[in-house]
RNA sequence: CGGGGCAUAGCGCAGUCUGGUAGCGCACCUGCUUUGGGAGCAGGGGGUCGCAGGUUCGAAUCCUGCUGCCCCGACCA
């Protein structure tokens, strides 16, 4: 992609409305445009990141055995009257009316709808377990949206819903999502820690918030440092096997947000393992039993011939929020530092002297070889000074920069720079290419 | 939803107290010079001063109402 043909509206100055670093950087890097309070248009660079995150979330959901579908953003109020939540949900729900004066709403979540779909088709325990998910925009009319997409009103969310014949099965479904989440966040370059969350009236131990540590986090968290060292389940994990040993290993060490914090238990830890920090919630998994299947009569017949309401759980990941969360966890004074897996482009290829025949030739040749090797390249062909080019590249945070100037080009040499470390290296063309392809393969 | 603040060019701001017909920096356009960390000089374009009323010879400026946005708190993926 040629930068001269791309749409990348960089801001040199900080927009005054942006308080936290991720919001500021997303606006400055031309990823995002606010259209109303808590409502944003995603510009090309932002969309690229959003799609990469979405793809990783999807792969890990699929791997765990969940099945993708897509439910609408607009729902009928009648569904919500059935579960009793139409009145309970309050002003956070955006209520609208169609031309026939029917009550509709912009969905804040999809438990009712998925339950309605499930009950229309599934009758027998033989069709279970089942986990359906979708990745769809939601709307919650927050009183006070803030922090950019971290707390917007419209947001992209992955929500999965599990159906099982009994609590035992539901626990296994819960464990599958738990493991899928560990893998997902790891692939996104994040250290996510599952923390016991409030289960409300259902009770039990089956609700966890996945929290990443960041100085700008919204809530205080307390945990055992050993959690940072636990191994992530491998890609070939068998999701049909018993996953409870993995879940136990991750849930036994102490970890809690301030609402669930138990100072006594925390103090019992050895001093050097106690960690108190701030965190951002990026995922939440929840078992809620028959809360919806009961009133909505979503029932299956068990092996004993008895009909019973299915046991359900729901599992959310804030996809659009993750874009901001990743930036909160990975940036410096100059700008964003994208993890390789979600970077909008793999390589920023900087032509320091467009119009110089030799430099142009080296840059164009390198661009096609890199693209031929499957890398995504943003080629800076603008007629700007070197300093401005470097500042732009650092701001948008592509993992690798390749800098080509006329002197180096004449010697068949380019400089590659790793954004995360700032480390630079002058290499011949073949060596540079090999280094970048290898970097991507990781 | 309580408390506070802001609204003037694409972005960041001054001008408002004390009314006289709008300005600075960045960005943008033209030209020349410059060229490895957000260049310099010269010239140029762009604003019904958030909206609606009112006061006045005259309103960005004073008065009234409205709208939008931001921050703190309570609430939440």
């Amino acid at each position: 992609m040629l930068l001269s043909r791309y749409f990348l509206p960089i801001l040199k100055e900080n927009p005054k409305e942006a308080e936290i670093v991720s919001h500021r950087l997303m606006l400055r890097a031309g990823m995002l445009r606010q259209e109303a309070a808590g409502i944003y248009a995603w510009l090309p660079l932002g969309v690229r990141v959003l799609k990469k995150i979405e793809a990783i979330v999807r792969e890990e959901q699929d791997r765990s055995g969940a099945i993708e579908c897509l439910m609408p953003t607009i729902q009928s109020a009648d569904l919500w009257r059935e579960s009793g939540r139409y009145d309970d949900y309050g002003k956070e729900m955006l209520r609208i009316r169609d031309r026939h004066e029917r009550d509709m709403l912009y969905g804040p979540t999809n438990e009712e709808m998925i339950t309605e779909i499930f009950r229309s088709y599934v009758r027998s325990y033989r069709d279970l377990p089942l986990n359906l998910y979708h990745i769809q925009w939601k709307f919650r009319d927050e009183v006070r949206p803030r922090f950019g997409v971290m707390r917007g009103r419209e947001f992209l969310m992955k929500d999965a819903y599990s159906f099982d014949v009994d609590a035992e099965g539901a626990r296994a479904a819960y464990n599958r999502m738990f493991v899928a989440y560990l893998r997902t966040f790891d692939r996104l370059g994040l250290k996510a820690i599952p923390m016991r969350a409030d289960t409300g009236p259902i009770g039990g131990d089956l609700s966890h918030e996945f929290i990443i540590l960041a100085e700008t986090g919204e809530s205080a968290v307390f945990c055992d440092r050993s959690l940072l060292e636990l191994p992530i389940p491998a890609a070939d994990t068998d999701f049909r096997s018993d996953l409870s040993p993995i879940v136990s290993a991750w849930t036994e060490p102490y970890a809690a947000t301030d609402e669930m914090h138990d100072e006594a238990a925390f103090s019992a830890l050895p001093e050097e393992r106690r960690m108190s920090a701030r965190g951002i919630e990026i995922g939440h998994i929840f078992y809620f039993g028959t809360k919806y299947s009961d009133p909505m009569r979503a029932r299956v017949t068990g092996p004993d011939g008895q009909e019973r309401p299915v046991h359900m759980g729901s599992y959310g990941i804030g996809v659009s929020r993750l874009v901001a969360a990743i930036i909160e966890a990975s940036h410096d004074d100059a700008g964003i530092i994208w993890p390789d897996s979600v970077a909008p482009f793999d390589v920023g290829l900087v032509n320091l002297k467009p119009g110089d025949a030799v430099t142009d030739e080296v840059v164009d040749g390198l661009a096609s070889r890199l693209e031929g090797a499957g890398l995504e390249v943003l080629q800076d062909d603008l007629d700007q000074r070197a300093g401005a080019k470097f500042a732009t590249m650092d701001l948008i945070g592509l993992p690798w920069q390749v800098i080509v100037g006329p002197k180096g080009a004449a010697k068949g040499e380019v400089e590659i720079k790793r954004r995360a470390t700032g480390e630079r290296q002058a290499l011949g063309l073949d060596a540079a290419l090999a280094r970048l392809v290898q970097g991507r393969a990781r």
Side-chain angles (χ1 to χ4, degrees), chain A residues 19 24 81 95 139 155 274 307 324 405 417:
Chain A
E19 191 70 5
R24 206 155 57 223
R81 292 200 173 98
R95 294 150 206 265
F139 194 92
F155 56 96
R274 268 178 255 163
E307 198 176 63
K417 172 181 163 183

Side-chain angles (χ1 to χ4, degrees), chain A residues 65 126 134 190 287:
Chain A
R126 292 172 188 274
H134 74 340
L190 297 169
Y287 164 72

